[in-house]
């Protein structure tokens, strides 16, 4: 059945052009902003309403963005660029939250880089698809330290939760990644699938991610989902179907319960 209590599952091959909003989602409070970027060589930085799915354009980043993260320590909004970007491919940027403009920090030189995510202590992680490994990024010069992870990855969400735990969601697999050793521990009973470029919300510690890819699925992603620890989802229809990345503004409040516990 399709009730709120049922297990959530989506597939890229079974996306609907429109979907109902399931459950009540609170309007973003001050300091609880959901940023996103659009797909393309000059990706726009936007603010996304988590209830209506409506976007407000901030401005062009000037680069092809493939990952977005908010750092609660510096307050900076970081972005990684696609290997196909006309300018600074596979590099780290900061984005101006007023104009959207991207400024080069540096290039990690670890191959294809994406999905940056910042912990509450300011550690900036990312993922490299060149070796399917964890990367710790230096926020001063953009250099990267690779930590080997013994799994193969494809379309995925990689994000750190409010307690500093690194999660990788890939189709029906959910791993916890050790940020020091790279050990990947498969978590049981994860039914959700095919989400990418997700981000944990500070106020709830659930992960929000995009369903569908603008590069490969014609009409682009149809919705974002907020996933709980059990994989149950709440859907938000996207008004702009060109969205490619998400990043919740991270608050410095005390950590909440880990989403891997029940």
């Amino acid at each position: 059945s399709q009730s709120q209590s049922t297990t959530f599952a989506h597939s890229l091959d079974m996306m609907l052009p429109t979907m109902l909003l399931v459950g009540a989602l609170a309007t973003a409070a001050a300091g609880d902003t959901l940023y996103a970027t659009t797909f393309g060589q000059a990706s726009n930085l936007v603010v996304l309403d988590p209830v209506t799915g409506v976007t407000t354009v901030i401005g062009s980043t000037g680069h092809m963005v493939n990952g977005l993260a908010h750092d609660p320590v510096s307050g900076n909004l970081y972005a990684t660029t696609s290997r196909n970007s006309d300018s600074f491919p596979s590099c780290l940027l900061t984005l101006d939250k007023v104009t959207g403009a991207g400024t080069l920090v540096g290039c990690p030189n670890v191959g294809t880089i994406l999905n940056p995510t910042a912990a509450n202590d300011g550690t900036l992680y990312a993922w490299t698809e060149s070796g399917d490994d964890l990367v710790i990024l230096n926020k001063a010069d953009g250099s990267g330290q690779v930590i080997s992870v013994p799994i193969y990855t494809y379309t995925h969400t990689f994000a750190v939760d409010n307690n500093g735990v690194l999660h990788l969601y890939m189709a029906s697999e959910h791993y916890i990644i050790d940020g020091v050793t790279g050990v990947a521990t498969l978590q049981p009973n994860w039914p959700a699938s095919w989400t990418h470029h997700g981000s944990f919300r500070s106020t709830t510690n659930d992960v929000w991610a995009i369903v569908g890819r603008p590069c490969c699925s014609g009409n682009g992603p149809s919705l974002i989902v907020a996933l709980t620890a059990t994989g149950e989802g709440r859907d938000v229809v996207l008004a702009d179907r060109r969205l490619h990345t998400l990043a919740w503004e991270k608050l410095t409040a005390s950590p909440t319960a880990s989403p891997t516990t029940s």
Side-chain angles (χ1 to χ4, degrees):
S1 67
Q2 298 296 318
S3 68
Q4 295 179 37
S5 60
T6 55
T7 298
F8 171 81
H10 277 294
S11 167
L12 285 178
D13 299 324
M14 300 181 66
M15 291 189 303
L16 300 177
T18 57
M19 294 196 68
L20 296 177
L21 177 67
V22 180
L25 299 179
T27 302
D32 190 27
T33 303
L34 180 56
Y35 293 100
T37 59
T38 57
F39 183 78
Q41 283 295 342
S43 303
N44 282 333
L45 177 65
V46 305
V47 171
L48 176 62
D49 187 306
V51 175
T52 65
V54 172
T55 56
T56 301
V57 176
I58 295 175
S60 174
T61 66
H63 308 274
M64 191 175 191
V65 171
N66 70 354
L68 194 63
H70 178 259
D71 175 17
V73 174
S74 67
N76 288 337
L77 196 60
Y78 288 95
T80 50
T81 56
S82 168
R83 64 182 178 182
N84 297 314
S85 181
D86 289 341
S87 57
F88 305 126
S90 297
C91 292
L92 180 67
L93 312 172
T94 56
L95 301 185
D96 189 303
K97 289 183 282 187
V98 176
T99 67
T103 300
L104 178 67
V105 176
C107 302
N109 296 316
V110 295
T112 301
I113 194 82
L114 75 165
N115 289 343
T117 183
N120 282 346
D121 65 0
T123 302
L124 186 61
Y125 301 96
W127 198 260
T128 173
E129 288 190 331
S130 295
D132 295 325
D133 292 319
L134 173 67
V135 179
I136 298 178
L137 295 173
N138 185 313
K139 295 184 294 185
D141 61 13
S143 59
Q145 173 193 353
V146 175
I147 298 174
S148 179
V149 178
I151 58 174
Y152 170 77
T153 60
Y154 41 96
T155 303
H156 66 272
T157 280
F158 173 66
V160 61
D161 70 20
N162 296 350
N163 298 306
V165 179
L166 291 166
H167 300 261
L168 190 143
Y169 304 94
M170 181 173 58
S172 59
E173 299 171 89
H174 171 204
Y175 293 91
I176 287 180
I177 309 295
D178 189 297
V180 176
T181 66
V183 170
T185 304
L186 183 64
Q187 303 300 297
N189 304 321
W190 181 254
S193 62
W194 295 117
T195 60
H196 65 96
H197 292 89
S199 177
F200 278 89
R201 189 176 191 175
S202 292
T203 55
T204 57
N205 209 28
D206 52 3
V207 63
W208 292 56
I210 296 173
V211 176
R213 293 179 290 175
C215 63
C216 309
S217 55
N219 292 327
S222 57
L223 62 131
I224 60 173
V225 295
L227 298 169
T228 66
T230 59
E232 293 175 329
R234 298 171 291 172
D235 307 331
V236 179
V237 178
L238 291 177
D240 186 344
R241 299 182 68 177
R242 300 170 299 162
L243 296 189
H244 188 51
T245 73
L246 296 177
W248 279 104
E249 181 179 15
K250 280 187 169 287
L251 309 180
T252 55
S254 299
T256 58
S258 170
T260 63
T261 60
S262 58

